[in-house]
Amino acid sequence: APDQPSATANRSGGCAVAGGRMTDTRRRVKVYTLNEDRQWDDRGTGHVSSCYVERLKGMSLLVRAESDGSLLLESKINPNTAYQKQQDTLIVWSEAENYDLALSFQEKAGCDEIWEKICQVQGKDPSVDITQDLVDESEEERFDDMSSPGLELPSCELSRLEEIAELVASSLPSPLRREKLALALENEGYIKKLLEIFHVCEDLENIEGLHHLYEIIKGIFLLNRTALFEVMFSEECIMDVIGCLEYDPSLSQSRKHREFLTKTAKFKEVIPISDPELKQKIHQTYRVQYIQDMVLPTPSVFEENMLSTLHSFIFFNKVEIVGMLQEDEKFLTDLFAQLTDEATDEEKRQELVNFLKEFCAFSQTLQPQNRDAFFKTLSNMGILPALEVILGMDDAQVRSAATDIFSYLVEYNPSMVREFVMQEAQQNDDDILLINLIIEHMICDTDPELGGAVLLMGLLRTLVDPENMLATANKTEKTEFLGFFYKHCMHVLTAPLLANTTEDKPSKDDFQTAQLLALILELLTFCVEHHTYHIKNYIINKDILRRVLVLMASKHAFLALCALRFKRKIIGLKDEFYNRYIMKSFLFEPVVKAFLNNGSRYNLMNSAIIEMFEFIRVEDIKSLTAHVIENYWKALEDVDYVQTFKGLKLRFEQQRERQDNPKLDSMRSILRNHRYRRDARTLEDEEEMWFNTDEDDMEDGEAVVPPSDKPKSDEDIMDPISKFMERKKLKESEEKEVLLKTNLSGRQSPSFKLSFSSGTKSNLTSQSSASNLPGSPGSPGSPGSPGSPGSVSKSTSQMAAITTK
């Protein structure tokens, strides 16, 4: 805790802090709220005070943040709200039906002061642990209970166990009776007397008595009282409580929980813990967690909320343990010194790594602010260099635990890990870099299902993801780290891929190798999407795509599909550098070969390859269209169950026509420039856009593009089109046949039917409008886009139909 937390004047009506200034550590608290998952969220650390707030018209609790003095909490002490005091340093209450709050005090004295203020407002004795009944009851029940001020427990004797069990069971449904039962159990030291009878029953092998004790102890858990838990979980009582819970009447044989805890479960003190309170807290938390997870039966829907205090007890214990260990600098210094010391024997090192892993797992219960402090402490202690040493060792178990610790660090702060590996690259060889050690463990995973490799691949993906990289005025983490990664690490990642693809088919094609290569391809595909020029240079310079496509010949369909997905991602970028590389190396050949080998089977391979060619056709990637038709048309021309390849051929012929007749392109340009105003759309979008000036047809609200100031007459426009059509008449019938068939995506072809009415208005309608399937990529926002009512043109009485290509 800081020596001088910031003091802040009260802004709610001049309230003073009784018993000391705001800097008094007695009043230092953490504010928690209970979320929907019944987990406590830390809302911040500050100083609490109680005073009259004019706006709320009553005494209130105020907590101001120690960092900036902002108001963390302003809560009126309601006379009817049930406040609970737990574990001497916690006050818990509900503000609304689903809004629970808790104040965790640094010191017991501060908790007692505020508790007295709350009790004073509510007119209660500060010695109670709860100020109100938790649930309102019927007037009749309240009257009955008021007439009997206290609950009288039967004397604690063996012969009366059945009576006690019935009393506990009958009290659970009523909140007021639960409260009275809990007070009676606390005041008379009843739990310790019950545990003495437990010993007698075990000695006498009195099974009936043991079954009654099971029901009694289980019922006491459901009373949900911290004061009772503190008795039951004390060092002298906890094992006997667990003993009572071994004798479940619904089981034919008793469970051996105590035997497991005393003989099988061993507490290993890897580094001596000098603080006896901390040691006792660790023992207690482990046993209480064991009771919650293993001993108590799974609570029913009605009992779940009754164990909320047990969850809170464990949660706050864990927070306390992590805090106490974190503050013990000698402990952490010794831990890391022994971890990296070559003289430490293997068994000891394994215990140290397992402890550190569990320590990190405990930290996951912390709130973000506390977790930040936790990982900063570990970072300052040198956790990353320590992990590097551990990952280089031979012991598989130690390496596995170190990998788990590494995953906590990457998930918490990938930038911290990236900064470390870039710094170490200046001093070390590539072989022993932390990231390369991680890649090697991934490649060498001995698990047949590659469970560890999948985890490591996820961590690598997080590290190379530009989305979580920082950019500042002086430096860009993305540029620096990706430059480092491609220079020092990428060759290690791709080594298994390159080693396995030296021939026309994979040299090793067993299941485990295929799985590993699929993982590597998944990461490379991610890089293609997110890394732009770094991965482009690498793929082209190292001829990676050609090597990847060798895997199309794998007997494992999932690996062949991974290779295809990699190529599809590259083509999807529509980058001419990639396209020239693909054409120069004839990299469609393995894909066409796989397509033909697949035959007429209708499977994922067939669909994925057709989708790739369909993408090239729809996006009109001219260079690839020409390359495919010129080199592979003979192999693909007989495929007629989809129109993709015929559509590609048509695209190709249209391109050639334009090249052979440059006047056609200039004519089209004149047509667009004179008839319509240009906007920022691409050529493809302009070709596919349908203009319709009839207001009735403009139902999707698109603005009509106005004509230019001096439109040409219809005859002027039609004349060059008619001349062009005369030259194309011979091919017209074949093209109509192709265009009228539905293709894979429903994309319109660039052929249009222009209908001119006797007036100056014009309707443009695609010949293939019938193929506009829902979801097809029509031009965005145009009246003819799929599903818009304006996509069907109205026929007019006087109309000249002219088809252009």
Side-chain angles (χ1 to χ4, degrees):
D3 291 332
Q4 290 290 324
S6 60
T8 310
N10 180 358
R11 299 168 198 158
S12 304
C15 92
V17 181
R21 297 180 301 134
M22 286 290 265
T23 50
D24 191 343
T25 56
R26 283 184 304 169
R27 293 301 185 92
R28 192 166 184 265
V29 293
K30 278 188 182 297
V31 180
Y32 290 94
T33 57
L34 197 65
N35 62 27
E36 291 174 358
D37 300 323
R38 310 295 296 169
Q39 299 294 321
W40 288 103
D41 291 337
D42 186 345
R43 296 298 181 195
T45 303
H47 291 84
V48 65
S49 58
S50 62
C51 63
Y52 185 84
V53 176
E54 186 64 40
R55 185 171 57 80
L56 299 176
K57 299 281 188 269
M59 290 294 288
S60 303
L61 296 176
L62 303 174
V63 179
R64 294 197 176 278
E66 67 180 7
S67 54
D68 58 6
S70 59
L71 202 60
L72 295 177
L73 176 72
E74 186 179 56
S75 171
K76 181 182 175 183
I77 302 173
N78 193 312
N80 300 317
T81 297
Y83 290 83
Q84 280 183 284
K85 188 165 80 160
Q86 302 177 4
Q87 300 183 34
D88 290 335
T89 55
L90 274 175
I91 296 176
V92 183
W93 73 98
S94 295
E95 287 274 294
E97 191 173 338
N98 291 316
Y99 189 61
D100 288 15
L101 286 158
L103 293 180
S104 177
F105 288 77
Q106 183 170 325
E107 294 182 17
K108 180 180 181 297
C111 183
D112 290 344
E113 276 183 42
I114 295 298
W115 184 249
E116 281 176 25
K117 290 283 181 188
I118 293 168
C119 291
Q120 190 179 330
V121 171
Q122 295 199 341
K124 302 287 179 181
D125 183 344
S127 64
V128 300
D129 281 342
I130 183 164
T131 60
Q132 302 285 334
D133 304 329
L134 294 178
V135 179
D136 285 340
E137 296 163 290
S138 68
E139 289 300 319
E140 193 178 327
E141 188 179 13
R142 189 181 293 277
F143 179 77
D144 289 346
D145 279 314
M146 284 170 70
S147 62
S148 56
L151 189 73
E152 200 170 319
L153 290 169
S155 58
C156 197
E157 296 169 10
L158 182 55
S159 58
R160 304 191 71 176
L161 284 178
E162 186 174 358
E163 189 183 338
I164 300 167
E166 284 174 5
L167 176 67
V168 171
S170 65
S171 299
L172 289 175
S174 159
L176 195 63
R177 286 178 65 79
R178 276 210 310 273
E179 174 68 19
K180 291 187 173 179
L181 174 61
L183 285 170
L185 289 168
E186 282 174 47
N187 296 338
E188 298 179 27
Y190 211 79
I191 290 173
K192 290 184 179 177
K193 294 175 187 173
L194 286 170
L195 295 177
E196 285 169 15
I197 295 179
F198 166 70
H199 286 291
V200 174
C201 287
E202 271 208 316
D203 293 342
L204 298 173
E205 295 183 6
N206 183 339
I207 301 301
E208 189 186 351
L210 292 168
H211 285 170
H212 289 317
L213 280 164
Y214 170 89
E215 297 292 355
I216 294 166
I217 296 294
K218 181 189 162 192
I220 293 173
F221 268 96
L222 296 176
L223 292 175
N224 210 22
R225 288 282 291 211
T226 308
L228 296 177
F229 286 158
E230 283 171 357
V231 175
M232 293 161 78
F233 299 153
S234 64
E235 191 71 29
E236 58 180 313
C237 296
I238 191 164
M239 295 308 279
D240 289 339
V241 168
I242 293 169
C244 291
L245 293 170
E246 290 180 354
Y247 294 94
D248 185 345
S250 62
L251 301 175
S252 54
Q253 248 185 329
S254 64
R255 298 290 177 85
K256 305 290 182 189
H257 296 302
R258 284 171 297 171
E259 190 177 313
F260 172 81
L261 287 171
T262 52
K263 294 181 181 172
T264 310
K266 297 289 181 191
F267 175 64
K268 291 187 176 175
E269 218 172 323
V270 288
I271 302 285
I273 296 172
S274 52
D275 185 347
E277 187 189 345
L278 172 58
K279 202 182 293 188
Q280 190 272 328
K281 189 75 75 178
I282 292 169
H283 281 300
Q284 185 189 57
T285 306
Y286 176 76
R287 288 165 181 169
V288 176
Q289 185 88 58
Y290 182 83
I291 289 172
Q292 184 187 19
D293 296 342
M294 304 300 298
V295 182
L296 283 176
T298 306
S300 68
V301 176
F302 303 106
E303 293 173 342
E304 192 138 10
N305 285 342
M306 290 184 173
L307 292 173
S308 59
T309 308
L310 185 63
H311 295 304
S312 301
F313 189 95
I314 295 168
F315 171 81
F316 287 114
N317 263 18
K318 285 183 176 179
V319 170
E320 217 171 317
I321 289 167
V322 173
M324 289 165 88
L325 284 172
Q326 202 177 316
E327 288 164 14
D328 191 340
E329 284 193 21
K330 183 181 183 308
F331 179 88
L332 289 176
T333 308
D334 289 352
L335 173 68
F336 284 105
Q338 290 190 36
L339 263 178
T340 51
D341 188 352
E342 290 180 10
T344 306
D345 65 72
E346 292 303 313
E347 191 179 343
K348 177 73 170 175
R349 196 185 313 278
Q350 191 174 327
E351 289 173 1
L352 290 163
V353 175
N354 285 337
F355 168 79
L356 190 54
K357 175 184 163 183
E358 199 170 340
F359 193 32
C360 289
F362 256 42
S363 75
Q364 298 307 294
T365 62
L366 299 176
Q367 294 306 310
Q369 306 97 310
N370 298 357
R371 202 155 57 236
D372 281 355
F374 172 79
F375 280 112
K376 276 176 188 163
T377 303
L378 292 188
S379 177
N380 294 339
M381 288 287 174
I383 189 166
L384 284 164
L387 283 179
E388 196 168 41
V389 172
I390 299 162
L391 285 166
M393 294 176 177
D394 297 330
D395 191 317
Q397 282 185 306
V398 167
R399 286 204 313 264
S400 171
T403 303
D404 289 340
I405 297 166
F406 183 69
S407 73
Y408 286 123
L409 294 168
V410 171
E411 285 165 21
Y412 158 68
N413 190 347
S415 290
M416 179 178 83
V417 178
R418 284 192 282 259
E419 189 179 349
F420 169 76
V421 294
M422 284 192 286
Q423 284 174 355
E424 65 162 355
Q426 297 164 11
Q427 297 129 17
N428 297 338
D429 296 334
D430 285 1
D431 296 348
I432 57 170
L433 293 180
L434 180 58
I435 290 192
N436 287 346
L437 287 171
I438 293 293
I439 295 171
E440 282 168 23
H441 288 323
M442 184 191 82
I443 292 168
C444 302
D445 189 4
T446 52
D447 177 8
E449 296 295 325
L450 294 187
V454 172
L455 168 69
L456 293 171
M457 181 58 71
L459 298 178
L460 285 173
R461 183 173 172 151
T462 304
L463 287 173
V464 299
D465 186 355
E467 293 294 317
N468 61 46
M469 293 184 186
L470 306 171
T472 60
N474 302 327
K475 63 170 187 173
T476 306
E477 188 181 16
K478 177 180 174 181
T479 308
E480 287 188 9
F481 181 75
L482 292 183
F484 157 82
F485 184 78
Y486 280 87
K487 182 179 178 183
H488 296 282
C489 309
M490 190 55 110
H491 65 278
V492 183
L493 179 66
T494 54
L497 170 69
L498 298 176
N500 213 34
T501 52
T502 50
E503 308 294 331
D504 291 341
K505 59 180 185 177
S507 49
K508 280 180 73 180
D509 204 18
D510 59 282
F511 178 69
Q512 195 163 352
T513 304
Q515 268 199 310
L516 176 63
L517 293 177
L519 277 177
I520 293 170
L521 278 179
E522 192 182 318
L523 188 59
L524 290 176
T525 306
F526 178 82
C527 294
V528 166
E529 188 176 359
H530 292 89
H531 290 178
T532 59
Y533 65 90
H534 287 97
I535 188 74
K536 189 196 303 178
N537 291 341
Y538 191 80
I539 287 172
I540 294 172
N541 293 337
K542 302 287 184 185
D543 199 14
I544 295 292
L545 181 55
R546 185 177 65 79
R547 304 294 283 270
V548 166
L549 291 173
V550 169
L551 302 175
M552 293 285 292
S554 169
K555 67 184 180 188
H556 299 284
F558 71 86
L559 181 57
L561 286 164
C562 278
L564 184 64
R565 195 182 307 122
F566 180 69
K567 180 171 183 176
R568 173 65 178 80
K569 188 66 76 176
I570 288 174
I571 289 174
L573 296 174
K574 298 193 283 187
D575 184 317
E576 280 304 311
F577 281 102
Y578 276 131
N579 293 348
R580 284 197 291 273
Y581 161 59
I582 288 169
M583 293 185 294
K584 184 181 175 185
S585 303
F586 293 92
L587 295 180
F588 275 102
E589 191 172 315
V591 178
V592 173
K593 198 180 285 183
F595 181 69
L596 297 174
N597 289 342
N598 192 59
S600 59
R601 281 176 294 177
Y602 179 52
N603 54 18
L604 192 53
M605 178 65 74
N606 172 278
S607 299
I609 292 174
I610 289 172
E611 190 277 334
M612 178 189 288
F613 287 112
E614 181 66 13
F615 177 82
I616 294 168
R617 186 193 73 77
V618 166
E619 296 296 325
D620 196 14
I621 305 174
K622 294 178 175 55
S623 56
L624 294 184
T625 301
H627 176 75
V628 170
I629 297 302
E630 286 169 358
N631 293 284
Y632 308 106
W633 174 244
K634 288 288 181 202
L636 300 169
E637 64 179 334
D638 294 332
V639 179
D640 56 7
Y641 53 87
V642 288
Q643 298 307 306
T644 296
F645 301 109
K646 286 185 171 57
L648 269 176
K649 181 79 165 23
L650 185 60
R651 284 277 199 206
F652 172 66
E653 287 173 352
Q654 289 168 349
Q655 286 172 30
R656 211 159 52 181
E657 283 296 335
R658 291 194 197 104
Q659 289 165 2
D660 294 345
N661 300 285
K663 286 181 182 176
L664 173 62
D665 269 352
S666 61
M667 180 275 294
R668 288 191 171 186
S669 175
I670 290 164
L671 176 67
R672 279 194 302 271
N673 283 334
H674 285 73
R675 187 67 182 155
Y676 312 111
R677 243 177 232 170
R678 294 292 299 268
D679 71 82
R681 296 174 188 276
T682 62
L683 174 63
E684 178 195 340
D685 284 335
E686 287 177 325
E687 284 180 334
E688 295 186 1
M689 189 169 189
W690 297 1
F691 294 91
N692 191 334
T693 56
D694 280 349
E695 286 183 10
D696 294 341
D697 291 346
M698 296 299 295
E699 292 182 29
D700 61 353
E702 179 74 3
V704 179
V705 179
S708 61
D709 295 330
K710 295 181 180 179
K712 287 195 171 191
S713 69
D714 292 344
E715 289 78 10
D716 289 339
I717 296 168
M718 288 166 62
D719 185 47
I721 300 173
S722 301
K723 287 178 183 176
F724 169 64
M725 280 314 302
E726 284 171 14
R727 293 198 302 273
K728 297 292 288 175
K729 212 165 187 178
L730 292 171
K731 293 185 181 178
E732 189 175 26
S733 57
E734 180 194 341
E735 290 172 358
K736 280 184 180 178
E737 183 184 338
V738 172
L739 289 166
L740 287 172
K741 290 183 180 178
T742 304
N743 56 37
L744 267 179
S745 74
R747 187 78 173 193
Q748 294 161 221
S749 91
S751 290
F752 292 91
K753 173 176 170 184
L754 285 85
S755 305
F756 294 95
S757 67
S758 54
T760 57
K761 292 182 181 178
S762 64
N763 287 335
L764 272 72
T765 309
S766 163
Q767 278 188 320
S768 60
S769 63
S771 68
N772 252 345
L773 302 174
S776 67
S779 56
S782 69
S785 59
S788 81
S791 59
V792 182
S793 71
K794 297 176 178 177
S795 57
T796 52
S797 55
Q798 299 173 12
M799 200 176 279
I802 293 127
T803 310
T804 69
K805 295 178 182 65

